[in-house]
Amino acid sequence: MAATREAIALCIDVGMGMLEEQPSSNQEPPVTCFKQAISLASMMLERKIFCDSKDEVAVVLFGCDETSNDLAADGQYQNIKVLSRLQLATFRTVEALHQLAPSLASSGDLLDALIVCLDLLRSSRAGKKFACQRIFMLSNVAGQFSDDQLDLVTQALKDEQTELALIGPLSDPDPQQPSNGDRPSTSTQGNGAPRNKLKSPTQLRAESVVRSMLQSGVEGSIYSFGEVHEVLVFFNAREMKATSWSVNMELGSLQIPVLRFIATKEHKLKSWTKINADTRDESQVKLTRSFYTQPADATEEEKEVDVEDLAKGYRYGTSLIPFSDADEANIKLENNKCLKILGFPRQEQVRLQEAVGESSTVIVAPTTDQGACVALSSLIQACVRQGRVALARYAYSKASNPRLVALIPVSKPTHECFVSVQLPFADDI
């Protein structure tokens, strides 16, 4: 099965240049580039969390006062810190972002930061499969940098097939404007509000370097803070991959090949994870379980019982009746994967308000099987004309217990199908 998840590195500039304020629209007070970058990075992580994405995200800071990365040696790749390695997005990382403060004395090299991100993605994805990898750099590119390794970085991005997105108070160059370092920049926010602000020669040079990489074959683009914010304010729906369950629908001696897809399903919250209350470390918590005899009176002491000496049992009155695995296997109902129609009651006889189960499904014929499409369509049309519902015995697999389901016919100009809902047995009501 092809991988669909992504490996993402958020490369955030926290240098002193990020203290630069950017005008806001609607007469709101100016906001520093640092606050905008942290806000967008947090929104990206929260977006992944709420849609239960399987994408893994790493966070790298550059321009910080401390250095912590795998390439830092001999004075190289300084002021770059790996905040979190490649992992699923967590609120712990979001919390760590909000606790950051911009540096008041340092600035980071954006090309060095890209190299650290590429090395981090390469080392962290060992043994994992990803459909693609991306680097999102959030910066106003106001810090000093060296372009000595520009060709190396460009080739590495292409070799690793890594997309690069630069997010900041940037704009595409206007060919009508002069190209000297004193020309005004007319960057626009996502809402179209102009903000005329002179860019420094360093920023213009950095923009030129990034564009040269994109023009040299590196996939990616340049976005403004406002453009990205407009996208991130809306959360993605949780993505679900539609998988089919194939079976032959039995109607007497007639068998119709059909496919079953989940239409709606109850989403269950993930279980709580036990962590250390002080360190919040999950690995420090280990669960051990032991069994003891129940003393008949106060004079007896509890005795520990080994797991090998335990057996299943059921209480019958005041007695405990042993029930072994062999007994359970002997009385287990033998079953096979099936969808067998039992009858066709009228729709008003089926009380759908008593439906049970955690999902509803749709049953259709394979589009590649013309005979199955005609047979299932005829059955659906007959049920619709006579106001009938099909009752069927359903078992997902040989190991599943059989269930009673109602197949409700749906016939529309665009499609035909049965909608399947589980019905209760008499003992369940």
Side-chain angles (χ1 to χ4, degrees), residues 35-339:
K35 288 186 177 180
Q36 292 185 71
I38 295 299
S39 175
L40 292 180
S42 300
M43 293 171 71
M44 289 180 184
L45 291 172
E46 291 168 357
R47 190 183 177 95
K48 298 292 182 185
I49 295 171
F50 286 120
C51 70
D52 200 19
S53 173
K54 301 303 179 184
D55 298 342
E56 296 193 12
V57 185
V59 179
V60 176
L61 310 176
F62 70 102
C64 46
D65 294 328
E66 56 184 302
T67 300
S68 176
N69 64 80
D70 296 338
L71 300 181
D74 301 327
Q76 300 294 318
Y77 305 102
Q78 298 299 300
N79 304 112
I80 301 174
K81 177 183 178 181
V82 176
L83 184 66
S84 67
R85 294 187 173 271
L86 207 59
Q87 61 181 2
L88 295 177
T90 63
F91 281 113
R92 188 178 302 176
T93 307
V94 176
E95 183 181 352
L97 284 178
H98 286 292
Q99 292 176 351
L100 295 175
S103 172
L104 300 178
S106 303
S107 62
D109 189 312
L110 66 91
L111 292 182
D112 282 353
L114 285 177
I115 294 175
V116 171
C117 288
L118 284 168
D119 177 74
L120 179 62
L121 290 175
R122 186 188 300 112
S123 60
S124 300
R125 71 170 188 263
K128 303 176 183 179
K129 292 184 179 180
F130 296 97
C132 64
Q133 61 183 34
R134 309 173 190 268
I135 296 177
F136 293 95
M137 176 171 283
L138 295 93
S139 172
N140 64 350
V141 291
Q144 297 294 330
F145 68 96
S146 171
D147 58 1
D148 295 342
Q149 302 187 83
L150 176 59
D151 293 337
L152 173 65
V153 175
T154 302
Q155 190 59 44
L157 287 169
K158 291 192 287 187
D159 292 343
E160 295 291 330
Q161 297 181 344
T162 302
E163 296 182 24
L164 172 63
L166 178 59
I167 304 171
L170 309 172
S171 64
D172 292 329
D174 188 344
Q176 302 298 325
Q177 291 183 342
S179 57
N180 59 65
D182 295 330
R183 72 170 176 86
S185 166
T186 55
S187 174
T188 59
Q189 299 186 38
N191 56 14
R195 47 189 182 196
N196 299 319
K197 187 176 180 61
L198 290 176
K199 292 183 180 179
S200 68
T202 301
Q203 288 176 302
L204 293 174
R205 177 167 160 262
E207 285 188 42
S208 176
V209 165
V210 174
R211 288 195 179 92
S212 70
M213 289 192 289
L214 300 180
Q215 293 169 359
S216 300
V218 176
E219 295 291 332
S221 188
I222 299 177
Y223 306 95
S224 70
F225 285 139
E227 290 171 337
V228 176
H229 184 270
E230 281 193 346
V231 176
L232 295 179
V233 290
F234 300 101
F235 284 110
N236 278 346
R238 185 171 179 261
E239 296 181 0
M240 297 293 293
K241 185 177 180 181
T243 56
S244 63
W245 175 77
S246 59
V247 71
N248 286 337
M249 178 187 287
E250 302 177 34
L251 178 57
S253 59
L254 177 64
Q255 293 194 353
I256 306 174
V258 295
L259 299 175
R260 169 181 171 270
F261 294 89
I262 294 177
T264 61
K265 185 176 181 180
E266 178 186 359
H267 177 63
K268 296 183 179 179
L269 295 177
K270 294 182 179 180
S271 58
W272 291 96
T273 301
K274 293 181 174 61
I275 62 174
N276 187 301
D278 296 327
T279 63
R280 298 190 179 183
D281 189 353
E282 180 181 348
S283 62
Q284 295 181 353
V285 179
K286 294 183 179 180
L287 178 65
T288 58
R289 180 173 296 174
S290 56
F291 300 88
Y292 295 86
T293 59
Q294 184 175 358
D297 52 50
T299 60
E300 291 188 16
E301 295 183 357
E302 293 181 344
K303 294 182 180 179
E304 187 173 356
V305 181
D306 294 335
V307 178
E308 294 78 8
D309 297 331
L310 297 176
K312 293 181 180 178
Y314 290 93
R315 186 177 296 278
Y316 184 77
T318 57
S319 303
L320 288 174
I321 310 301
F323 192 76
S324 64
D325 293 338
D327 296 330
E328 186 176 0
N330 288 334
I331 67 169
K332 188 173 183 179
L333 177 66
E334 293 186 2
N335 193 29
N336 290 309
K337 175 182 177 180
C338 71
L339 183 63

